[in-house]
Amino acid sequence: MAVDNESPPGSWKDEMERMPWKYSQNQKVDWALAELRIRGMWTEATVLANESNVLKAELEALRENRG
């Protein structure tokens, strides 16, 4: 693991707040899948979308059984 021992405390947080798009903040899965498709990676995007849907369904089932 890299350790930044040169930047002052809080530098990384400040940098992320200035450029959230650069550090993958607030990006949605659908946006990421669209980016894959734009680059011609349709099969990969479909595999990931299907897995995401399965995980969402499993989470929903777990939450229903919990309460």
Side-chain angles (χ1 to χ4, degrees):
M1 183 170 136
V3 176
D4 180 359
N5 57 4
E6 297 176 11
S7 302
S11 296
W12 182 243
K13 181 179 178 288
D14 293 342
E15 182 73 14
M16 289 175 62
E17 287 172 355
R18 279 195 295 273
M19 295 189 296
W21 63 90
K22 186 174 181 181
Y23 299 105
S24 301
Q25 292 181 338
N26 302 322
Q27 290 182 354
K28 301 290 182 189
V29 172
D30 292 336
W31 178 86
L33 292 172
E35 286 291 316
L36 289 173
R37 290 180 180 113
I38 287 170
R39 287 163 176 73
M41 301 176 73
W42 284 86
T43 302
E44 294 84 352
T46 300
V47 168
L48 292 173
N50 290 341
E51 186 65 20
S52 176
N53 290 334
V54 168
L55 291 172
K56 286 178 189 176
E58 288 178 355
L59 277 172
E60 188 174 324
L62 287 170
R63 288 178 179 141
E64 286 176 3
N65 289 337
R66 193 180 211 192

